[in-house]
Amino acid sequence: MKNWEDGKPDKKLFYKRMNAVITFLEKRVDIAKLNALEVFGRAGDWHTIVYANRVKSLQVWGIDKKWKNILKKNLPNAKIKILDSIKTIVENLEPSKFDLIVIDNPMNTWGTKKEPDFYCEHFDFIKHIGNIIDKEAILIFNINKNPFGYDKFPEWKKRREKFYERKRTSKLSLRFLILFYKKLFLMIGYKTIFQKIFKRNEYMDYFVFFLRKN
Ligand SMILES: C[S@@+](CC[C@H](N)C(=O)[O-])C[C@H]1O[C@@H](n2cnc3c(N)ncnc32)[C@H](O)[C@@H]1O
């Protein structure tokens, strides 16, 4: 598994891309009234800082306490919680509901558990996202339509094939992905009011879905 913290993300590019997402949303929704959650915080300086002061409130979750003080410094108005985001969502441990949920999960397979209990992308909790939404919410999440070095990661491949119910998952079309997620959200009781895709980098896109309880 590649450690995302070892990589050198292009912070300027991430900032620019998230700014495009938030600017798009600001034309359609009153962002300043939204209670937001960053599900995987790290230091908050890749893209959380873009919207932190444009929303009504912000919670930032992260599993690793080493980021707590840095998060407080980078996002002074946010409520920081050190917890396991997957466990919190799946076991419905968080009483608050959120209007804007940003899911910046690691790519590939990840987590401290071993095969076959490792996590993969957002696959292990996305179906439980209704636990932290009231009537409607905007989700922003990472989609990898064309994974890099895919042949070197048979477990990642296996998990993607199972999740997307497809034999070939190395190049997924946007059309397939939009329909797939619309169907998945309908299955958990939410219809899509609008969706929009923003390129994040060469491999990843931000998928933006405005969901309303059916
Ligand atoms: C891609 S980074 C997030 C970057 C961040 N959104 C930003 O803008 O700077 C993913 C983060 O998820 C955290 N993480 C990994 N497993 C987690 C879990 N089970 N619960 C909460 N956070 C977790 C890692 O510590 C890592 O910092």
Side-chain angles (χ1 to χ4, degrees):
M1 185 191 95
K2 189 177 170 353
N3 187 343
W4 58 91
E5 282 161 18
D6 293 339
K8 286 196 174 59
D10 186 341
K11 281 200 224 173
K12 267 193 193 157
L13 180 71
F14 283 179
Y15 190 99
K16 200 170 141 193
R17 300 295 201 225
M18 179 54 91
N19 194 45
V21 175
I22 299 300
T23 305
F24 162 82
L25 287 173
E26 278 171 338
K27 289 182 187 140
R28 285 154 184 85
V29 182
D30 193 355
I31 290 277
K33 287 192 177 145
L34 304 186
N35 296 304
L37 169 68
E38 177 81 39
V39 180
F40 299 97
R42 206 192 62 95
D45 58 344
W46 291 355
H47 69 196
T48 319
I49 39 166
V50 176
Y51 66 89
N53 295 328
R54 289 151 91 172
V55 292
K56 183 175 162 199
S57 74
L58 172 64
Q59 267 200 37
V60 180
W61 294 354
I63 201 160
D64 195 336
K65 62 177 186 306
K66 80 172 181 199
W67 297 112
K68 194 170 182 179
N69 288 335
I70 303 169
L71 275 168
K72 279 188 185 160
K73 193 166 155 251
N74 288 339
L75 309 165
N77 299 321
K79 183 170 180 180
I80 313 295
K81 286 191 181 173
I82 300 302
L83 47 70
D84 180 337
S85 305
I86 303 222
K87 183 177 159 70
T88 306
I89 294 173
V90 174
E91 296 180 18
N92 202 4
L93 303 175
E94 170 61 49
S96 313
K97 306 291 177 198
F98 301 93
D99 316 301
L100 175 67
I101 300 169
V102 182
I103 304 170
D104 192 15
N105 53 271
M107 278 296 132
N108 209 325
T109 54
W110 56 281
T112 48
K113 291 180 184 168
K114 295 268 181 291
E115 186 191 348
D117 294 321
F118 44 49
Y119 299 135
C120 186
E121 301 189 35
H122 53 264
F123 304 164
D124 303 281
F125 62 93
I126 196 80
K127 288 175 185 154
H128 303 273
I129 206 72
N131 287 343
I132 50 169
I133 301 176
D134 187 12
K135 289 190 185 74
E136 56 181 42
I138 298 165
L139 295 193
I140 303 174
F141 56 107
N142 286 326
I143 289 291
N144 199 324
K145 56 182 192 298
N146 186 10
F148 175 71
Y150 204 34
D151 289 337
K152 292 188 208 126
F153 303 106
E155 293 311 326
W156 189 15
K157 212 168 175 175
K158 232 192 268 173
R159 290 293 304 270
R160 281 173 62 94
E161 285 166 6
K162 191 170 170 218
F163 182 74
Y164 289 115
E165 295 174 345
R166 289 226 140 177
K167 279 229 169 83
R168 276 197 217 130
T169 53
S170 58
K171 269 190 190 159
L172 295 171
S173 75
L174 291 178
R175 191 182 138 78
F176 164 78
L177 287 163
I178 290 168
L179 289 174
F180 178 88
Y181 283 97
K182 274 188 174 172
K183 213 168 119 191
L184 182 149
F185 293 132
L186 260 185
M187 229 169 59
I188 61 163
Y190 291 88
K191 65 179 171 207
T192 300
I193 302 302
F194 67 74
Q195 90 281 331
K196 177 101 177 152
I197 296 160
F198 290 83
K199 191 180 162 85
R200 185 168 180 187
N201 60 21
E202 211 180 326
Y203 313 104
M204 267 194 294
D205 291 278
Y206 283 122
F207 269 41
V208 180
F209 270 70
F210 187 120
L211 303 179
R212 184 170 295 151
K213 213 165 216 163
N214 219 355

